[in-house]
Amino acid sequence: MRTLAGALLFLGAFEAVAADASGFEIADASREAFSRLYAGVSPSIREQALRGRGLFRASWVIPPAADSDIVGLGPIYNQLSCLSCHPKNGRGKAPDTPEQAMRSMLVRLSAPGKGPHGGPLPVTAYGDQLNEQGIPGVPGEGRVSVSYSESEIKLAGGESVKLRMPAYRFTDLHYDPMPADALFSPRVGPPVFGMGLLEAVDEQTLIDLAGKAKPFGIQGRPNRVWDAEKRATVVGRFGLKANVATLKQQAAGAFIGDMGITSPLHPQENCTTVQVACRQAPTLQQPELNNERLESVLTYLRLLQVPARRRSDDPVVQTGEKIFAEIGCAVCHVPTLTTGDFPQMPVLAGQTIHPYSDLLLHDMGEGLADGRPDYEAGGRDWRTPPLWGIGLIEAINEHSQFLHDGRARNLTEAVLWHGGEAAASRQVFIDLPSAKREALLAFLRSL
Amino acid sequence: MRLAYVLIVALWSVVAQAKESLTVLTAYPEEVVSRFETAFEQAHPDIDVQILWRMPHDALPYLSQPEQGGVDVYWSATMRTFQALKRQGAWQKLVLADQGLPTHLGALPLADRDGFYRATEMAGYGFAVNPRYLKMHGLPLPGTWQDLADKRYQGHLALPVPSKVGFAPMMIDSVLQQYGWDQGWALLAEIVANARPVEAGSTFVTDILGAGERGIAPTIDFFTASAIANGAPLQFSYAQPVAYSPAHIAITRASKHSDAARQFLAFVLSEAGQKLLFHADIRKLPVRSDVYGAKPADYFDPFAASLAHPVIYDPETALPRLGLNNAVFDAMFTEHWPRVQALFDRLRQWEARGGDVAKAQRIRALLTGAPISAEQAHEQDLQALFAKRGGDANTEAKDRQWFEAMRKRYDEAEQLLNAAAQL
């Protein structure tokens, strides 16, 4: 009862979120639900978004090539297309065995210390991300394989759940041994829909959320990151540690980091000083993605709609939604936010949205820690991931892996990995009677 | 838990794995490539597949490089490239167990007669349809190209321009093969009269249909079939007899990983590989007839369909004249599209009012006749002239000549319609 009172105090009052099925929420539960574009824009903006869709779906080619629109892959890279890591605009997947390659996952790297603006320092020979692939004549940087060890957790009622802890092994490292003190953090490609709405939430809203008193010892704070375009420190909101300021910087960072595609924000190829073949590889044009085409990708991402809730009138789902609030999940996974002014795309302004995220950093405990700081995010901190659409991942992406590195094989495991600020809520989840736990999961699947 | 990360860092090493590297050049999209890559990797964990991507028109120069650009396997729906590279001696002979793999589907060859490449899947041509749109406009579901020429479909079709949309040249040629040169172009003219043009760009046919802008779009099957399998409220109607565009696979002569390449081919052609084509995100037609027993309920079976409507379209026959066909299509329609539609509209209205049959036939002949005959279209020199189109003075002269010939015909048709209007 004390738990419930605390949650109600924080929320003001329990308010069930109903499916909107209009505007940026769309009542579509098909396998294309993450790929619907908001139609209430001018034909020219829609056309721009469709051009962006083409670039998002395109497989990039190595130079020289006749198709100048999509030339410039590499010299080192992880995948050929945006779609590789964000299949059907949804969630990537971790390999299940050491033999499987990372197809929609990558590993961030950094050296200890901070860069001039407070961000991570690259590893001298490998940069800030391990690029496994290289174009012909340019060796890839190396390979990562993942294996798992299992531990068991008993739930109230006698059920047991096995959690798998990943371990990573780097092989075929082609450019010097990796420094012993290098830091790394594996990342599965997250869903990309609804990102325009998250961008349109104004900074003050996030600061206010951080300043609000919270139950269960939960805190939450914004990451403050360098905005290279504004030349200023701002509140970060994209990236798994809220380590990127804007959607444009997130997209341009992925183009250069994942595919080696230069843009006005990253005009240099991602070769380190020791990667001679990479530095000498032929290029056709620079930047490979001009500002106009980068903007079209942004327009596409900004206009991607979010799936509306389903089965919100199901009593089991409604029970689960109440438990979600009662045990403190909704303190971080904030159900409702309102977007602010957004001159970059006014249709996104003033929208009531249901991301189930506060976009803030939370200490998630040692179990999920990557030990790799990123601006003001520490090694145990992660940004609350939005939960919208999470119930459709299994149907659309054909797996049910969650968390930043895909270690959780279902929603139960994902909840059980929560530690740190979420430890109390996790314990309540463990102690719940089975039926209530199932109701909570039914609610998550309705999102 | 922290200990685990410390241990992991200590495990970093430069120990090389003994995986063999296989480079596959393809034009397949991510949805196809990733599934085959993952499944092959699971079946052959000792082989590491690297994918290089090239648009079909850009693969030939890449594979013509020294050492064939390091490519071991080429896998694509560009039969012309396979043929051209065969002439260059660029392929190894395939040594595969052929059990269960048909060599033909009616007139459609599924394997190179000399054994250098082999079909891995097919895509069929037909009509993507928005059933709700058809119902709203009281239109029947079309089953043949002849159906699309009916004036009831005026304003309801979207037709790809073959010189601008990659899959369309073979689709257009399938009409010419099925109905003959003269009747085929006449049929296409009536269809153009009913259709808006679709050029390559950012808009998909499924966008046009989904938005209710048009109700029917002749197209290749897999993209629409995949959209339907993913929940789009569309339908696909195969144009009987169905014409197919096969994709092929070959091993480069320069390959230094021939054994791995053969394993990749064997996998793609295996039951397991062929069944991957059924996936909702792929929806291509397997060439292995025996896997259709396991097809999803709504899947098309070309081998069963060919029993009722034998396949008559042979893409090998079509290939030499595709460029020429595109030029004829542009001269007849692309450059005159609004005018062709206006003239047909007037002709059809005049016919509906009981206009003179002989005059109407004369006007229709002007609107539907191709600028060159079937015999001319088979001249090898003329076909060769259009094999590479653009920037060539001789080709441009022909383009102008045919454009002018069509303009004069349309002028005459307009004069006849004007005269008829004054009667």
Side-chain angles (χ1 to χ4, degrees):
Chain A
M1 217 37 220
R2 189 167 151 265
T3 305
L4 175 62
L8 290 175
L9 184 67
F10 175 72
L11 292 170
F14 173 74
E15 187 182 359
V17 174
D20 183 338
S22 63
F24 279 90
E25 284 192 357
I26 183 162
D28 180 357
S30 78
R31 294 190 71 242
E32 292 299 314
F34 299 160
S35 305
R36 302 295 184 201
L37 282 172
Y38 178 67
V41 290
S42 68
S44 64
I45 290 181
R46 183 167 175 80
E47 178 56 30
Q48 189 185 30
L50 293 177
R51 284 198 299 274
R53 177 179 66 182
L55 288 167
F56 194 86
R57 295 177 57 84
S59 293
W60 288 73
V61 302
I62 62 176
D67 304 286
S68 58
D69 279 0
I70 52 167
V71 68
L73 181 73
I76 54 171
Y77 61 98
N78 289 96
Q79 287 296 341
L80 306 185
S81 74
C82 303
L83 213 57
S84 304
C85 289
H86 310 283
K88 299 184 85 67
N89 292 337
R91 182 176 293 281
K93 181 179 180 295
D96 288 317
T97 67
E99 291 77 30
Q100 291 175 8
M102 288 187 173
R103 304 215 177 277
S104 48
M105 183 179 188
L106 52 82
V107 175
R108 293 238 188 282
L109 300 170
S110 58
K114 287 191 172 190
H117 301 294
L121 282 172
V123 173
T124 304
Y126 292 95
D128 58 6
Q129 179 171 317
L130 193 83
N131 291 116
E132 294 191 311
Q133 309 278 348
I135 67 171
V138 179
E141 291 183 324
R143 299 283 183 189
V144 190
S145 63
V146 58
S147 57
Y148 299 93
S149 55
E150 289 195 329
S151 59
E152 193 168 347
I153 288 191
K154 290 277 185 195
L155 306 179
E159 306 102 313
S160 69
V161 178
K162 284 186 175 168
L163 299 182
R164 59 176 191 175
M165 178 72 178
Y168 300 89
R169 183 162 186 260
F170 289 65
T171 60
D172 290 328
L173 290 171
H174 207 90
Y175 302 93
D176 299 342
M178 191 70 72
D181 60 354
L183 305 170
F184 71 96
S185 185
R187 306 283 168 87
V188 165
V192 295
F193 56 84
M195 293 177 84
L197 294 167
L198 299 181
E199 192 179 26
V201 175
D202 65 34
E203 196 169 297
Q204 192 57 47
T205 299
L206 304 183
I207 292 168
D208 290 348
L209 276 172
K212 209 165 182 174
K214 303 174 188 69
F216 306 116
I218 294 169
Q219 296 177 18
R221 59 198 171 85
N223 199 354
R224 294 187 189 273
V225 305
W226 181 248
D227 184 329
E229 288 178 289
K230 282 187 181 169
R231 310 290 302 165
T233 296
V234 301
V235 169
R237 67 185 68 203
F238 295 110
L240 293 169
K241 285 185 179 255
N243 52 314
V244 182
T246 65
L247 188 52
K248 185 174 185 177
Q249 288 169 50
Q250 176 73 14
F255 270 109
I256 189 69
D258 305 350
M259 296 184 288
I261 306 298
T262 56
S263 66
L265 271 59
H266 297 281
Q268 303 298 322
E269 297 288 3
N270 57 347
C271 311
T272 65
T273 50
V274 303
Q275 294 172 348
V276 177
C278 182
R279 291 158 67 85
Q280 293 174 347
T283 57
L284 199 66
Q285 60 194 20
Q286 290 296 1
E288 289 146 350
L289 183 69
N290 65 22
N291 196 55
E292 183 190 343
R293 293 193 299 143
L294 178 57
E295 287 290 338
S296 71
V297 174
L298 288 186
T299 303
Y300 172 63
L301 294 173
R302 283 172 175 156
L303 290 179
L304 280 175
Q305 294 172 298
V306 291
R309 274 190 61 190
R310 301 158 309 285
R311 304 186 304 281
S312 56
D313 54 351
D314 180 333
V316 176
V317 170
Q318 289 172 345
T319 300
E321 186 173 16
K322 285 180 187 165
I323 295 167
F324 184 79
E326 287 169 9
I327 72 173
C329 308
V331 178
C332 304
H333 290 286
V334 175
T336 302
L337 295 175
T338 305
T339 64
D341 291 337
F342 195 64
Q344 299 96 311
M345 186 163 281
V347 293
L348 294 166
Q351 297 277 336
T352 299
I353 62 173
H354 308 299
Y356 293 88
S357 172
D358 57 6
L359 301 180
L360 298 177
L361 294 175
H362 295 272
D363 175 353
M364 294 304 293
E366 204 58 32
L368 284 176
D370 64 355
R372 178 177 176 270
D374 203 328
Y375 290 100
E376 294 182 8
R380 294 160 50 119
D381 293 336
W382 295 97
R383 185 199 69 167
T384 311
L387 299 183
W388 49 16
I390 198 168
L392 291 174
I393 291 290
E394 193 163 358
I396 292 175
N397 293 128
E398 299 167 81
H399 68 79
S400 56
Q401 290 187 2
F402 298 103
L403 300 177
H404 66 281
D405 54 9
R407 69 177 72 183
R409 290 163 292 193
N410 52 52
L411 291 168
T412 302
E413 289 184 25
V415 174
L416 292 173
W417 273 108
H418 282 55
E421 294 175 30
S425 299
R426 170 184 177 269
Q427 191 56 50
V428 180
F429 177 79
I430 290 171
D431 294 340
L432 282 174
S434 298
K436 287 195 170 184
R437 221 169 20 241
E438 284 306 314
L440 175 64
L441 296 172
F443 161 68
L444 291 173
R445 288 192 292 269
S446 79
L447 297 181
Chain B
M1 291 292 193
R2 179 75 190 144
L3 179 62
Y5 266 87
V6 173
L7 287 172
I8 292 157
V9 173
L11 280 171
W12 287 11
S13 71
V14 292
V15 177
Q17 289 184 318
K19 279 192 171 190
E20 185 167 12
S21 182
L22 181 74
T23 302
V24 177
L25 184 73
T26 185
Y28 280 116
E30 167 65 20
E31 290 91 339
V32 177
V33 170
S34 61
R35 288 187 196 287
F36 276 91
E37 238 184 322
T38 303
F40 179 71
E41 176 188 73
Q42 282 173 1
H44 298 276
D46 54 326
I47 300 173
D48 181 22
V49 177
Q50 183 180 24
I51 299 292
L52 292 180
W53 206 86
R54 271 287 189 277
M55 286 285 277
H57 59 262
D58 205 20
L60 182 57
Y62 192 86
L63 287 167
S64 302
Q65 295 177 90
E67 298 297 307
Q68 297 179 276
V71 170
D72 300 299
V73 172
Y74 181 53
W75 187 25
S76 173
T78 44
M79 191 185 247
R80 194 198 308 240
T81 303
F82 285 93
Q83 289 179 339
L85 286 162
K86 179 184 169 185
R87 288 193 291 273
Q88 291 180 19
W91 305 131
Q92 295 185 21
K93 277 220 177 195
L94 301 181
V95 186
L96 293 168
D98 284 356
Q99 209 168 24
L101 288 167
T103 58
H104 283 79
L105 174 61
L108 173 71
L110 295 175
D112 172 51
R113 63 177 69 87
D114 299 315
F116 286 105
Y117 50 87
R118 175 176 270 288
T120 60
E121 49 94 350
M122 299 172 281
Y125 293 108
F127 315 128
V129 168
N130 180 337
R132 208 166 72 170
Y133 180 102
L134 291 198
K135 193 175 177 189
M136 193 192 316
H137 293 275
L139 296 169
L141 183 71
T144 67
W145 288 94
Q146 185 76 53
D147 291 344
L148 295 187
D150 192 298
K151 63 184 176 186
R152 282 182 300 180
Y153 291 109
Q154 191 169 326
H156 300 301
L157 307 183
L159 183 70
V161 176
S163 60
K164 304 283 173 61
V165 179
F167 69 79
M170 286 170 82
M171 181 176 78
I172 295 299
D173 195 79
S174 76
V175 178
L176 300 177
Q177 280 198 31
Q178 184 181 342
Y179 293 92
W181 182 261
D182 293 326
Q183 200 189 334
W185 283 112
L187 202 54
L188 287 167
E190 301 268 3
I191 293 168
V192 163
N194 294 338
R196 62 152 274 191
V198 178
E199 300 191 351
S202 51
T203 306
F204 301 155
V205 158
T206 47
D207 293 331
I208 295 169
L209 297 178
E213 191 192 328
R214 291 290 190 277
I216 304 164
T219 185
I220 204 159
D221 57 5
F222 56 87
F223 196 73
T224 308
S226 171
I228 294 166
N230 277 295
L234 301 175
Q235 195 174 339
F236 194 85
S237 167
Y238 283 90
Q240 298 291 357
V242 186
Y244 299 96
S245 169
H248 291 87
I249 198 163
I251 301 172
T252 59
R253 183 165 292 281
S255 172
K256 294 183 172 62
H257 308 280
S258 298
D259 288 343
R262 275 189 284 277
Q263 290 186 67
F264 186 77
L265 263 67
F267 176 78
V268 169
L269 293 164
S270 70
E271 279 190 37
Q274 291 284 291
K275 283 178 182 171
L276 290 177
L277 299 167
F278 291 147
H279 191 278
D281 294 345
I282 301 178
R283 294 272 149 162
K284 308 246 186 191
L285 303 170
V287 290
R288 182 179 274 280
S289 55
D290 53 7
V291 300
Y292 284 91
K295 73 181 178 67
D298 57 344
Y299 222 87
F300 185 73
D301 179 348
F303 294 94
S306 70
L307 299 177
H309 300 280
V311 175
I312 58 173
Y313 177 64
D314 175 8
E316 285 192 20
T317 306
L319 285 176
R321 70 178 186 186
L322 290 183
L324 182 145
N325 289 351
N326 290 352
V328 170
F329 189 98
D330 285 344
M332 288 182 75
F333 311 128
T334 314
E335 310 292 337
H336 306 277
W337 207 288
R339 194 175 189 203
V340 169
Q341 291 197 322
L343 290 170
F344 264 105
D345 191 35
R346 291 180 65 187
L347 172 64
R348 288 167 175 179
Q349 286 187 33
W350 189 54
E351 286 175 326
R353 290 197 302 270
D356 181 272
V357 173
K359 279 184 183 165
Q361 283 177 345
R362 169 64 186 152
I363 296 168
R364 176 160 271 105
L366 289 166
L367 297 181
T368 59
I372 57 170
S373 66
E375 290 71 27
Q376 287 172 299
H378 281 103
E379 288 174 10
Q380 287 189 358
D381 289 350
L382 196 60
Q383 290 178 344
L385 192 62
F386 285 93
K388 272 190 180 177
R389 193 168 167 223
D392 174 73
N394 293 328
T395 321
E396 286 173 6
K398 282 286 176 203
D399 279 335
R400 272 198 307 277
Q401 182 188 333
W402 295 346
F403 173 84
E404 281 303 316
M406 292 311 300
R407 188 183 60 76
K408 284 179 185 165
R409 287 191 195 192
Y410 296 142
D411 284 349
E412 187 182 343
E414 190 167 11
Q415 286 163 11
L416 290 170
L417 283 164
N418 289 343
Q422 288 168 4
L423 290 177

